[in-house]
Amino acid sequence: MAATTTTTTFSSSLSLIPKSNNPSTTKPLSLLPKPFLKPSPLSLLSSSSTSSPLLVHGVSQYFSSESSGEHSLASFDYNEEDDDDEKPREECGVVGIFGDPEASRLCYLALHALQHRGQEGAGIVTVSNEKVLQTITGVGLVSEVFNESKLDQLPGEFAIGHVRYSTAGASMLKNVQPFVAGYRFGSIGVAHNGNLVNYKQLRAMLEENGSIFNTSSDTEVVLHLIAISKARPFFMRIIDACEKLQGAYSMVFVTEDKLVAVRDPHGFRPLVMGRRSNGAVVFASETCALDLIEATYEREVYPGEVLVVDKDGVKSQCLMSRNEPKQCIFEHIYFSLPNSIVFGRSVYESRHVFGEILATESPVECDVVIAVPDSGVVAALGYAAKSGVAFQQGLIRSHYVGRTFIEPSQKIRDFGVKLKLSPVRGVLEGKRVVVVDDSIVRGTTSSKIVRLLREAGAKEVHMRIASPPIVASCYYGVDTPSSEELISNRMSVQEISDFIGSDSLAFLSFDTLKKHLGEDSKSFCYACFTGDYPVKPQEVKVKRGGGDFIDDGLVGSFDNIEAGWVR
């Protein structure tokens, strides 16, 4: 008999980081290291054209304006021109753990490590000893959604987790992942990092055949495709469903007895595999999550690979389509933490080299090198090392201006940047300053930063950007403005420099970037720099926040959510 899916609702106030006072006494499953099977192509199996009922539980925690002051939604101020719309935002981070009695707490910690990939919602699904999928999801940071008592109600030896940024749709709460669904063969949970370019087409087809959707997320389409598949065994239903998807997806699934990880054939979004000392298998978007929970990095999940983990070990299969890898270059420029290894390369080393290239190709006489924190710091260190000019902290970032900050009025909205970044007059006054940032999108935040530095006494301000100009929107899980809104698509470098008010401006050369990547250069996606899309978009962008969103590197307000809150 299929186990039922349960979603527990909680409304108690949220506490700080939970402590493991009552660790489970259940022994972890034995997961002896086994050699990975050589991936082999699998034929696409036919799917049923009739839909089966699919109940999706996306959220187990609802906040109202009366619940608690810090989670009140009624007072949020919306403005399309908010500073935090200035950089691409990372869509999501996913985690999967199999074979550890502390699975929910390890998942919680791993999500902490991936918090930079999304700050607006978090969730965890575990499988209890009774083979029941239990989930807790909520709006806010990981530490706000979960506490000790909530983690106590997520027992089991395997779990999946998700952090997200924002989303489109009438209700953000409905779209918080992981999703849990019950269908004819049991229950399934899924967490997705990416964006499907044929989402609307698939949804229309499913709805014509009777499917009922509970969310506006493209991830729910995957669950419906699995539900109508006639393939056997279970992982073949996942392969059957994924063969119909186009775009970016790094996903982790959980059933009553299995954990499955899958990555799209192009490998747009990262997904890595590690193992803890007790044999527990871990999947995560970045290696920084493995480091925190003391899991040893083993390898990436290969593009187009399906990894199935159960009590018998790890098995590898492949999707039939094996395309040339097109990994997102922005993971190395902006999204990932510097201490992560992404696509087999150190993010720290990449950014340091980008800064060195800028200093070599676009030198300028200066007295000090500073960074726009936090994403520009490593590139600024590379620039300073190569140029021989001292790096100093000319801008101090406040870590206490977060998503709940309410600006008093529209008239003083410019105070937003000043609250997040404080100039150090002793470093800047009378100096020729090089400012290193990771990217420029609309140019609004850059112009405010330049003005801020001049007000602090900077004699000259020279902007150096550790990426090529962004001229095209992304459809593969990165939430960027439309091409018409991108300043590099409308202006020359000199015109942008005049717009933001800098004495000079230089971007990382695209040709030099590819030269640095060497033989690996053909494995990266550069669509945002070239407009050359590896998978042609079939429709307008449909999802904000399942995909990564470019902000200004300074966790900010909710103004991008586009009426995505329940009031």
Side-chain angles (χ1 to χ4, degrees):
M1 180 180 294
T4 58
T5 303
T6 63
T7 304
T8 310
T9 302
F10 298 94
S11 59
S12 59
S13 60
L14 302 175
S15 64
L16 301 176
I17 298 175
K19 300 177 181 179
S20 294
N21 295 327
N22 300 304
S24 172
T25 56
T26 306
K27 294 182 180 179
L29 296 176
S30 174
L31 287 174
L32 298 178
K34 293 186 177 183
F36 293 104
L37 299 178
K38 182 178 180 180
S40 57
L42 292 173
S43 307
L44 175 63
L45 299 179
S46 61
S47 297
S48 169
S49 61
T50 58
S51 302
S52 60
L54 185 69
L55 179 62
V56 176
H57 300 279
V59 176
S60 63
Q61 188 167 11
Y62 292 84
F63 298 117
S64 67
S65 59
E66 296 79 23
S67 60
S68 66
E70 64 175 340
H71 296 293
S72 174
L73 302 179
S75 59
F76 281 94
D77 184 19
Y78 296 89
N79 181 14
E80 293 180 356
E81 297 181 357
D82 187 82
D83 298 323
D84 298 311
D85 226 7
E86 172 62 12
K87 296 273 186 74
R89 284 210 182 126
E90 186 62 333
E91 66 156 83
C92 312
V94 299
V95 175
I97 298 172
F98 187 97
D100 198 296
E102 294 286 340
S104 63
R105 283 171 170 78
L106 290 173
C107 194
Y108 168 90
L109 293 171
L111 291 178
H112 258 297
L114 298 176
Q115 187 75 86
H116 60 286
R117 299 184 75 92
Q119 298 90 43
E120 304 303 346
I124 294 175
V125 173
T126 61
V127 182
S128 69
N129 293 333
E130 292 76 28
K131 305 300 182 185
V132 175
L133 273 63
Q134 297 177 308
T135 178
I136 296 177
T137 58
V139 173
L141 303 176
V142 176
S143 59
E144 295 172 324
V145 175
F146 297 99
N147 58 26
E148 179 74 21
S149 64
K150 290 180 181 179
L151 292 176
D152 283 341
Q153 299 191 46
L154 292 173
E157 295 190 339
F158 47 114
I160 60 173
H162 189 270
V163 289
R164 71 179 291 110
Y165 194 77
S166 62
T167 185
S171 170
M172 177 180 177
L173 294 171
K174 288 183 179 180
N175 293 282
V176 177
Q177 297 184 33
F179 293 153
V180 175
Y183 72 123
R184 56 179 173 168
F185 295 112
S187 298
I188 182 173
V190 61
H192 172 208
N193 177 15
N195 198 56
L196 306 179
V197 300
N198 62 336
Y199 157 71
K200 285 189 174 180
Q201 176 186 346
L202 290 172
R203 177 162 177 157
M205 178 270 292
L206 289 164
E207 287 177 330
E208 286 179 2
N209 286 288
S211 291
I212 299 173
F213 284 80
N214 189 50
T215 77
S216 59
S217 170
D218 56 357
T219 307
E220 190 176 357
V221 164
V222 182
L223 292 176
H224 283 273
L225 291 174
I226 292 173
I228 66 174
S229 173
K230 293 183 177 180
R232 303 289 186 278
F234 168 74
F235 76 87
M236 292 296 294
R237 288 194 286 273
I238 291 181
I239 293 174
D240 190 20
C242 288
E243 294 291 351
K244 299 174 178 61
L245 307 179
Q246 295 179 24
Y249 52 91
S250 288
M251 296 184 286
V252 286
F253 297 87
V254 68
T255 68
E256 291 93 336
D257 61 352
K258 288 180 176 59
L259 179 69
V260 180
V262 60
R263 197 166 166 216
D264 69 78
H266 284 292
F268 286 109
R269 317 312 310 168
L271 190 62
V272 297
M273 174 183 170
R275 202 182 294 264
R276 283 172 49 82
S277 59
N278 63 356
V281 175
V282 181
F283 297 101
S285 293
E286 292 181 38
T287 59
C288 62
L290 304 183
D291 296 337
L292 181 61
I293 62 174
E294 299 179 339
T296 302
Y297 169 70
E298 289 195 355
R299 67 176 179 91
E300 286 188 339
V301 176
Y302 302 131
E305 185 178 24
V306 180
L307 284 171
V308 183
V309 189
D310 57 22
K311 60 183 179 60
D312 296 321
V314 182
K315 298 180 180 65
S316 174
Q317 299 288 345
C318 275
L319 302 177
M320 186 172 66
S321 176
R322 293 300 301 270
N323 300 315
E324 184 180 37
K326 291 296 178 183
Q327 302 159 146
C328 177
I329 188 61
F330 240 92
E331 291 288 347
H332 278 265
I333 291 171
Y334 176 77
F335 294 138
S336 301
L337 284 187
N339 58 316
S340 287
I341 305 295
V342 176
F343 307 139
R345 287 174 170 265
S346 165
V347 175
Y348 186 98
E349 292 178 5
S350 292
R351 292 179 188 171
H352 199 275
V353 169
F354 297 160
E356 293 176 354
I357 294 172
L358 280 172
T360 302
E361 294 191 338
S362 306
V364 65
E365 291 292 329
C366 64
D367 303 307
V368 63
V369 177
I370 70 171
V372 177
D374 289 325
S375 54
V377 170
V378 179
L381 289 170
Y383 189 102
K386 193 68 174 180
S387 65
V389 179
F391 168 82
Q392 295 192 51
Q393 282 189 286
L395 289 169
I396 305 299
R397 174 189 167 188
S398 170
H399 293 271
Y400 306 102
V401 180
R403 63 185 188 88
T404 56
F405 169 68
I406 309 299
E407 293 178 2
S409 72
Q410 289 289 113
K411 295 180 180 179
I412 59 173
R413 185 164 290 276
D414 277 0
F415 277 92
V417 169
K418 293 183 178 180
L419 281 163
K420 298 169 186 176
L421 292 176
S422 302
V424 182
R425 184 172 290 272
V427 172
L428 303 168
E429 194 166 21
K431 303 290 181 60
R432 298 168 298 177
V433 181
V434 165
V435 189
V436 181
D437 201 357
D438 59 271
S439 59
I440 293 181
V441 181
R442 287 192 175 98
T444 53
T445 295
S446 297
S447 64
K448 293 179 181 180
I449 289 173
V450 170
R451 186 166 70 247
L452 197 65
L453 297 175
R454 293 198 187 280
E455 290 173 353
K459 182 180 178 181
E460 298 176 9
V461 179
H462 303 274
M463 291 291 294
R464 295 295 179 266
I465 308 302
S467 73
I470 301 174
V471 300
S473 189
C474 178
Y475 293 83
Y476 311 126
V478 179
D479 200 347
T480 51
S482 64
S483 297
E484 294 75 17
E485 298 175 271
L486 298 169
I487 193 168
S488 293
N489 192 43
R490 297 182 288 108
M491 298 183 184
S492 67
V493 173
Q494 184 57 53
E495 288 172 334
I496 298 172
S497 181
D498 294 340
F499 176 83
I500 66 177
S502 61
D503 291 281
S504 73
L505 169 67
F507 290 87
L508 182 68
S509 165
F510 177 63
D511 291 336
T512 306
L513 170 63
K514 293 184 69 174
K515 183 178 179 181
H516 163 69
L517 295 173
E519 289 296 320
D520 293 337
S521 63
K522 61 184 179 181
S523 298
F524 284 91
C525 175
Y526 310 104
C528 55
F529 304 141
T530 66
D532 182 15
Y533 295 101
V535 179
K536 298 297 181 183
Q538 300 180 14
E539 51 204 31
V540 297
K541 296 174 70 174
V542 297
K543 181 169 101 173
R544 300 190 67 176
D548 309 328
F549 197 102
I550 295 184
D551 68 2
D552 54 9
L554 317 166
V555 177
S557 76
F558 285 154
D559 298 352
N560 312 300
I561 296 178
E562 301 178 335
W565 291 99
V566 175
R567 291 192 180 278

